[in-house]
Amino acid sequence: MIRFCEVSKSYGSLPALRSVSGAVAAGQVVVVCGPSGASKSTLIRTVNRLEPIQSGRILIDGRDIHERSWSVNDLRSKVGFVFQSFGLFQHLDALANVALALVHVRRMPRREAEAAAMSQLERLGLADKAHHMPSQLSGGQQQRVAIARALVMKPTVLLLDEPTSALDPEMVGEVLHTIEQLAGAGLTMMCVTHEMGFARRVADRIWLMEAGELKVDADAASFFAGEAGPRAREFLNNQ
Amino acid sequence: MMEIIDKYWLLLLIGQYPNGPLGGLAMTIIIAFGALAASLPLATLLALARTSGIPWLERPVLWLVTFVRGLPFLMFVFWVYFGVPALFGISLDGVTTMVVALIIYESAYISEIVRAGIEAIPRGQIEAANSLGLKYGVRTFCIVLPQALFNMMPSLITQFASIVKETSIGYIISAQELTFAATQVNNLEVTKPLEIFAILAIAYYLLCGGVVLVARMLERRVLRRRRQAAQTARPLTRAVAA
Ligand SMILES: Nc1ncnc2c1ncn2[C@@H]1O[C@H](COP(=O)(O)OP(=O)(O)OP(=O)(O)O)[C@@H](O)[C@H]1O
Ligand SMILES: [Mg+2]
């Protein structure tokens, strides 16, 4: 479903991704982990073309995302992205945040879009927060609104970049719980996280990155059983 | 002083209206407000060009803005006053001349305010908009500008006060505004220039001071809003759970 073929990228002269190859199957959850600066964010940001790549190919459902005939906005509207710092539009309430892209990208009539946004918020237990501004919501609630905003577009894949790192500890649980439910519902996901307990519960595969390279690509069960090689064991021991 | 105010307050307030043209303080406010309202869209276009990331668009606008800001305002008044009739064969009255000159001058100044407002929008807002597949136009008009304009409101109101002061230059081309009205009074009451121009000063001070006060109050609100927003989105030190 998502396939990286020898993807390389550099920031100026600084190499960030070195010939990364790997595949995420439909309905799978891949947790991307690794030390700070390993290019985890860079990797998932290439999938919706927030970061350009210099060589290699990235395919979604067999189609090259850099294909001329696939506009970047159309690609992005099919790939959900959740940021560490939420990225809610500060001047819009929760409902408007969720409905915005339906109106402007999917060209849905406003009323329909708001109804769809409302039911998405309901599914994530946020119905009573629909008319709250982001600044009136807790961090955990904001991140769940951000997830709702991504989900309402019915993405073929959801990318999450450390969705709980900006949260106070007592709010991490509610967001992880939401993501676990999505994983259970068969959504294809790539999630960068340092929450290894969470990774153990939701991941089908673990990708361990180091210095721009995909060092370990292992089945989650064998990764946590310590059967994915010395690097994986070392990483687990350091947690 | 009181007797002058008593005698001429209406002239200072609205000029000779309704027997003659509207003038005085009312016209000063109309000129300033009209100039601000017309400059804002132009300034926004200039600021969008400046932040477009397209060199052949950014460069000329940068030159234009630098050029306009590098000249005294009076030059623009003269250019419009003498240049427009010479070039287009139409003559403009004083008030129109002032409004046109102010629009040119203020568009350049306000474009810098708008540019700063646009550049102060956190990167995360742009990335979030991009990641949803929003096109440039939607991103600009639904996400960036509404937030930028809200944050800029105090600066824009302060700019209004400085436009009010600039309108006094209209006197030299006989635009019928507050300063013009004061000189009319001065011509009628030849022996009291100190009192009359003291009244003029007080009138400008009350108007502009009041406007700046409103701007300050707004600024505190804007700052509070932005701080709230920044606080709820602050990345904490990473919680590593095993
Ligand atoms: N926009 C950029 N310009 C230049 N260098 C960048 C940019 N973004 C990231 N880098 C560099 O690329 C490398 C990988 O960064 P990246 O953010 O992808 O790492 P990460 O694994 O997500 O780290 P963290 O766990 O701290 O989020 C780092 O050395 C970083 O400094
Ligand atoms: Mg990162």
Side-chain angles (χ1 to χ4, degrees):
Chain A
M1 142 138 310
I2 310 176
R3 182 178 291 280
F4 296 85
C5 308
E6 298 177 359
V7 173
S8 294
K9 163 176 186 76
S10 52
Y11 293 107
S13 61
L14 178 87
L17 293 175
R18 302 168 201 252
S19 193
V20 172
S21 295
V24 183
Q28 255 191 358
V29 177
V30 168
V31 163
V32 182
C33 52
S36 180
S39 293
K40 305 179 295 295
S41 300
T42 303
L43 180 70
I44 65 167
R45 286 163 60 92
T46 60
V47 179
N48 72 348
R49 293 181 60 186
L50 279 179
E51 298 291 353
I53 61 174
Q54 270 84 44
S55 68
R57 302 201 310 154
I58 299 170
L59 310 175
I60 294 182
D61 291 340
R63 193 171 171 201
D64 191 327
I65 61 165
H66 295 94
E67 198 174 274
R68 199 54 80 73
S69 61
W70 199 356
S71 84
V72 65
N73 287 325
D74 184 59
L75 163 72
R76 286 170 177 169
S77 76
K78 295 187 168 76
V79 176
F81 201 103
V82 174
F83 296 90
Q84 179 175 348
S85 50
F86 328 139
L88 290 185
F89 304 127
Q90 295 296 322
H91 61 305
L92 301 176
D93 66 16
L95 187 70
N97 262 283
V98 179
L100 185 82
L102 290 178
V103 174
H104 292 289
V105 179
R106 294 274 187 266
R107 307 241 158 261
M108 215 183 252
R110 186 167 297 273
R111 191 168 294 193
E112 224 175 285
E114 284 180 354
M118 195 63 200
S119 59
Q120 185 63 60
L121 286 173
E122 271 164 18
R123 253 168 275 149
L124 299 194
L126 290 160
D128 56 329
K129 305 294 179 208
H131 295 291
H132 284 46
M133 300 303 281
S135 58
Q136 298 168 316
L137 298 172
S138 74
Q141 290 162 346
Q142 287 191 64
Q143 190 60 297
R144 287 189 294 139
V145 172
I147 292 171
R149 183 173 70 176
L151 289 178
V152 84
M153 299 293 280
K154 303 210 183 333
T156 49
V157 39
L158 185 65
L159 309 170
L160 305 105
D161 190 1
E162 302 197 30
T164 59
S165 306
L167 298 176
D168 291 322
E170 65 271 24
M171 290 164 193
V172 169
E174 60 180 273
V175 172
L176 294 184
H177 177 71
T178 297
I179 300 170
E180 279 184 60
Q181 282 180 328
L182 299 174
L187 185 62
T188 310
M189 285 195 270
M190 288 183 77
C191 181
V192 177
T193 186
H194 293 267
E195 304 276 353
M196 294 320 284
F198 160 75
R200 201 186 282 259
R201 291 196 299 276
V202 301
D204 296 301
R205 294 195 79 78
I206 306 286
W207 288 11
L208 176 60
M209 295 205 56
E210 258 168 47
E213 284 182 68
L214 180 52
K215 283 286 167 60
V216 177
D217 173 358
D219 182 61
S222 56
F223 184 90
F224 288 107
E227 294 157 7
R231 274 215 166 75
R233 276 197 297 276
E234 190 189 336
F235 178 79
L236 278 174
N237 286 339
N238 288 338
Q239 291 301 304
Chain B
M1 197 138 108
M2 282 335 259
E3 75 195 69
I4 296 174
I5 293 176
D6 216 36
K7 204 159 149 196
Y8 295 108
W9 66 273
L10 203 59
L11 179 66
L12 290 171
L13 212 58
I14 58 170
Q16 282 142 2
Y17 192 81
N19 306 314
L22 183 69
L25 186 64
M27 192 45 114
T28 287
I29 292 174
I30 289 171
I31 294 174
F33 193 79
L36 179 69
S39 304
L40 193 54
L42 277 174
T44 303
L45 285 180
L46 293 177
L48 288 176
R50 283 287 306 277
T51 54
S52 64
I54 306 169
W56 57 262
L57 208 59
E58 281 181 11
R59 279 301 160 62
V61 173
L62 170 65
W63 291 332
L64 182 73
V65 169
T66 313
F67 174 72
V68 172
R69 281 163 42 107
L71 293 174
F73 174 58
L74 188 56
M75 295 264 316
F76 292 94
V77 177
F78 284 151
W79 278 357
V80 175
Y81 194 67
F82 297 113
V84 169
L87 288 174
F88 303 102
I90 45 166
S91 66
L92 301 178
D93 63 44
V95 168
T96 314
T97 301
M98 279 309 288
V99 171
V100 173
L102 278 170
I103 289 172
I104 298 171
Y105 194 65
E106 289 301 325
S107 293
Y109 268 89
I110 295 172
S111 80
E112 290 291 279
I113 299 178
V114 180
R115 182 176 64 90
I118 291 174
E119 285 173 352
I121 299 296
R123 237 189 107 63
Q125 295 281 299
I126 315 278
E127 285 197 335
N130 284 341
S131 76
L132 286 170
L134 300 182
K135 293 204 170 78
Y136 174 82
V138 178
R139 195 182 81 198
T140 303
F141 289 99
C142 299
I143 306 299
V144 176
L145 287 179
Q147 296 189 68
L149 285 167
F150 175 77
N151 294 341
M152 277 158 27
M153 237 141 57
S155 310
L156 286 176
I157 292 173
T158 308
Q159 195 65 16
F160 177 74
S162 93
I163 301 176
V164 165
K165 287 178 277 181
E166 277 157 7
T167 57
S168 66
I169 286 182
Y171 160 72
I172 58 170
I173 54 164
S174 305
Q176 310 231 344
E177 39 67 69
L178 181 58
T179 304
F180 185 85
T183 58
Q184 277 182 317
V185 175
N186 190 40
N187 292 340
L188 296 171
E189 298 271 332
V190 273
T191 59
K192 291 174 182 153
L194 285 183
E195 283 97 323
I196 290 164
F197 289 110
I199 292 170
L200 182 63
I202 292 167
Y204 277 117
Y205 181 76
L206 288 181
L207 177 57
C208 297
V211 165
V212 169
L213 221 64
V214 171
R216 278 228 195 99
M217 266 158 43
L218 248 168
E219 186 160 27
R220 274 200 293 272
R221 294 229 341 227
V222 170
L223 280 180
R224 205 175 324 132
R225 272 273 280 275
R226 293 178 72 179
R227 207 168 313 124
Q228 262 176 12
Q231 234 166 38
T232 49
R234 108 208 99 134
L236 289 177
T237 43
R238 179 173 296 135
V240 180

